[in-house]
Amino acid sequence: MDVDFPLWLRAQHLLNFILMGMLIRSGIEMLSSLPRLWWRKDCAPGTEWLKFTRRELPKEEGVYTSLMDEKSVHPLLSLPGRENIGLGRHWHGLSVMFWVLNGVVYIALLFATGLWRRIVPTSWEVFPEAWDSLLMYLNFTAPDISHFTPYDSLQMLGYTFVIFVLAPFQMLTGIAMSPAIRSRYPWFVKMWGGHQGARSLHFIGLVIFSGFIVMHVSLVFLVNREHNMINMVFGGGEVTTARAAQALVIMIATIVAVAIFWIALSYWSLADRVRAQKFTAGVTEVGRKLFLNRMRPLGARKKAYTDDDISEFHWTNGLPPTQEESAAWIEARDNDWEGLTITLRDDINDVEKVLTVADLKALPRHSYIATHTCMQGWSATSRWTGVRLTDLMEQLGPRPEGARYLLAESYGLAQKMYDNRPREPFYAAIDLETMAEEESILAYERNGLPLEDHLGAPARMRVESNHGYKHVKWVSRIMWVHDFAEYGDGRGGTREDSALQAFNGRI
C-alpha cells in the first residue's frame, strides 16, 4: 500500500482542523446561551441531566426568562463569546456548511484514489489486532512501526468510527433541531427523543469528537513521532532527524497560526457585530435556501405528535408588558380583554381594520400539536388553537399589490437590545410562503385553555416552521408591508435587530 500522504489529503486535514475548531467554539457559545441539557419533552427546572451553571431556577412558569439564564463566555474560548447567541449560531452554521463540503470532497477522493483501504477494515483480524494495540497503549508502550501501514488496527477502527459513524451522527442530530425539519419530518425528530434528545445526543457527540481530537493529536506526538510529522507535513519520504525537526517547527507554527485565526474571528465579530451578522447570515442563507426553504409543514397530515406528547412546562423568553410599556394591555387584561384590539393593516395603501378578541374567535378555528423551540435550545410541545393567518388577513380584503411580507407588532417591548439602546416594541416579519403555511396562525388558546399572560395573551403568532423569535406575543397589529427593510433596523424583526439573528428562522 502507498504510505505517502498526498497534498489533497494533507490540505483537507488542515482545513478540517480549522473548521472543527470553529464548530466547537461556536458550539460552546450556543450551549452557554442555555447551559442545561434534558432528555425530556420539556425543559422543566430541576430536571436537567447536565448543567453548566450553579443557578437554581424557580419552578413557576413565566417569572424567569431563558435570556436570564445566559452565561457569558470569554472570546478566547467561544466564538464569538460575550453572550452573542445570534452570531454564535451563524458561525456554527457557516462552519457546518464548509465542514460537510470538505468531508464530501474527502470521501470522494478517498475512494477515487483507493486510500480508503488505509482506514476501512477489510478483515476481521482488525479486532484482535486492535485489542493487542489497546493493551500496549494502556501499558504506556506503543506497537512497533511495522504495525503501522500507515495506521495500526486500533487507529483504523477509530478513524472509521469517526468518519463514517460519528460525523454523520452529528449531522443528523444537528438538523433534527431545525424547526423546518421538525415541522416537515416530525417522525425523524421523535426518533432522536425529540428536540431535547437530539440536543443532548449532539452534545455527547461533541464530547466524543473532542476526546478523539485530544487522543489523535497525542498519538501523533507520542508514537513514532518522526514518521508522523514527516508524513503530515511533507507527505512522506526519508525519515531523518533534520526533516523531522523541520516538520515539527512547521507543525507547531501552523497550530499557533490556526489558534490565532480562531481567536481573531471572535474579536473581528465583536468589533462590529452588524458587519459580522451580514457576512455570516449571508453565507448561511445559501444553505437555508438550498435545503430548508422547500420544506413546508405537514399540517393535517402530521400524525407523529399526539396529546400524549404535550409538555408539562413551558419556558418563556420575554415578560408580559408592564404598565409603563402598555397601559392599554394592562387595563384590558384586568377586564377580561374587554376593549383590547388587534389591528389589521395594509401599510402600503394606509388601510386598517380593527378586531376585538371576540371578533378573532369568531373566525374559523384551526388546532394542531407542535413543538416550540427557542434559538437558545429550550423546547415545549403544546396544542395551539387560533385562526390561520391567511384567514385572518382576508378580513382586510385581497392582498394589496406590492405586499411581500407580513409584519406583526407586540404590545410588549424587546427584552434587551444588542447595543444597549432603549428597548423597542417587539416585532417580526415573515415572507408570504411562510405566512401561507397551514401551521402559521394567530393563536388564542393553548392546550384547550385561554392563552396564558406570559405566553402571549390574548393572542400571539405561531409560525411552526421557524424558531420562537418569529412568534410575536401580545400581538397589537399585523400588517402587509412591501419590505421589512423599512422597519426597525431593517433586519426583519426585533430578535434580528437586538440579537442579530437571521431573518430566516428555519434552523
Side-chain angles (χ1 to χ4, degrees), residues 162-223:
V162 168
I163 295 169
F164 297 105
V165 178
L166 186 56
F169 175 82
Q170 287 298 87
M171 287 186 262
L172 293 172
T173 53
I175 64 171
M177 288 182 272
S178 156
I181 297 289
R182 180 179 59 254
S183 59
R184 180 64 186 180
Y185 305 107
W187 60 267
F188 175 74
V189 180
K190 209 167 183 182
M191 180 182 74
W192 298 105
H195 186 87
Q196 294 309 317
R199 184 168 177 259
S200 291
L201 290 170
H202 198 68
F203 170 78
I204 291 171
L206 166 68
V207 172
I208 296 173
F209 242 125
S210 300
F212 169 79
I213 292 171
V214 171
M215 182 185 69
H216 177 61
V217 173
S218 299
L219 286 176
V220 166
F221 286 99
L222 295 176
V223 180

Side-chain angles (χ1 to χ4, degrees), residues 109-414:
L109 289 174
L110 202 63
F111 283 95
T113 59
L115 292 185
W116 63 272
R117 295 182 181 85
R118 290 178 166 181
I119 56 174
V120 179
T122 55
S123 166
W124 293 110
E125 290 301 313
V126 71
F127 290 104
E129 291 173 0
W131 177 251
D132 291 339
S133 296
L134 177 62
L135 293 179
M136 279 188 263
Y137 287 125
L138 291 177
N139 284 292
F140 299 102
T141 58
D144 184 77
I145 188 66
S146 61
H147 290 246
F148 295 82
T149 58
Y151 309 117
D152 68 18
S153 295
L154 187 60
Q155 287 175 309
M156 182 181 285
L157 288 177
Y159 297 158
T160 296
F161 171 75
V162 168
I163 295 169
F164 297 105
V165 178
L166 186 56
F169 175 82
Q170 287 298 87
M171 287 186 262
L172 293 172
T173 53
I175 64 171
M177 288 182 272
S178 156
I181 297 289
R182 180 179 59 254
S183 59
R184 180 64 186 180
Y185 305 107
W187 60 267
F188 175 74
V189 180
K190 209 167 183 182
M191 180 182 74
W192 298 105
H195 186 87
Q196 294 309 317
R199 184 168 177 259
S200 291
L201 290 170
H202 198 68
F203 170 78
I204 291 171
L206 166 68
V207 172
I208 296 173
F209 242 125
S210 300
F212 169 79
I213 292 171
V214 171
M215 182 185 69
H216 177 61
V217 173
S218 299
L219 286 176
V220 166
F221 286 99
L222 295 176
V223 180
N224 299 312
R225 180 173 57 245
E226 293 185 346
H227 285 81
N228 293 333
M229 289 188 296
I230 289 173
N231 284 340
M232 293 178 69
V233 175
F234 300 121
E238 186 181 9
V239 178
T240 66
T241 302
R243 292 189 82 217
Q246 292 173 353
L248 177 62
V249 171
I250 293 172
M251 187 178 295
I252 292 176
T254 301
I255 292 173
V256 172
V258 171
I260 292 173
F261 172 73
W262 288 335
I263 296 168
L265 284 182
S266 286
Y267 284 98
W268 180 82
S269 303
L270 296 173
D272 189 338
R273 285 178 281 182
V274 172
R275 174 189 62 188
Q277 192 258 9
K278 285 182 179 178
F279 171 71
T280 53
V283 173
T284 55
E285 183 61 20
V286 175
R288 290 184 177 92
K289 286 181 177 177
L290 284 175
F291 301 108
L292 296 176
N293 283 5
R294 300 173 190 170
M295 297 181 186
R296 298 296 169 185
L298 285 178
R301 292 175 291 160
K302 183 172 61 178
K303 306 296 182 187
Y305 286 88
T306 68
D307 288 315
D308 292 337
D309 295 301
I310 290 175
S311 306
E312 297 175 6
F313 185 88
H314 198 301
W315 275 70
T316 187
N317 194 342
L319 297 173
T322 63
Q323 181 70 30
E324 292 71 27
E325 292 174 13
S326 177
W329 186 89
I330 294 291
E331 182 179 355
R333 182 200 62 187
D334 295 341
N335 289 284
D336 198 21
W337 305 118
E338 186 69 31
L340 186 125
T341 60
I342 297 171
T343 301
L344 307 183
R345 177 174 172 78
D346 168 3
D347 210 39
I348 300 171
N349 299 305
D350 195 22
V351 176
E352 288 187 353
K353 181 173 184 177
V354 176
L355 300 182
T356 64
V357 175
D359 293 333
L360 181 68
K361 293 183 177 180
L363 296 174
R365 288 167 60 92
H366 189 66
S367 185
Y368 57 84
I369 297 173
T371 299
H372 179 109
T373 57
C374 176
M375 47 80 193
Q376 288 182 275
W378 60 265
S379 61
T381 302
S382 306
R383 173 174 286 282
W384 299 97
T385 301
V387 55
R388 290 186 61 186
L389 294 180
T390 48
D391 293 339
L392 180 69
M393 296 310 290
E394 280 181 2
Q395 302 305 304
L396 260 184
R399 188 176 74 212
E401 188 174 345
R404 296 168 55 206
Y405 299 96
L406 195 70
L407 189 149
E409 294 178 338
S410 172
Y411 281 101
L413 303 183

Side-chain angles (χ1 to χ4, degrees), residues 413-450:
L413 303 183
Q415 197 161 349
K416 64 180 180 181
M417 306 300 292
Y418 85 97
D419 52 4
N420 295 319
R421 68 177 185 262
R423 295 185 301 147
E424 298 173 354
F426 196 97
Y427 77 100
I430 56 175
D431 59 43
L432 299 186
E433 291 77 13
T434 303
M435 173 256 184
E437 290 172 354
E438 192 174 329
E439 295 186 345
S440 294
I441 69 171
L442 186 63
Y444 47 77
E445 287 182 6
R446 187 174 79 97
N447 299 334
L449 299 172

Side-chain angles (χ1 to χ4, degrees), residues 478-494:
I478 303 178
M479 55 188 185
W480 296 115
V481 301
H482 174 65
D483 193 344
F484 61 76
E486 300 166 1
Y487 302 84
D489 286 352
R491 287 188 279 271
T494 295

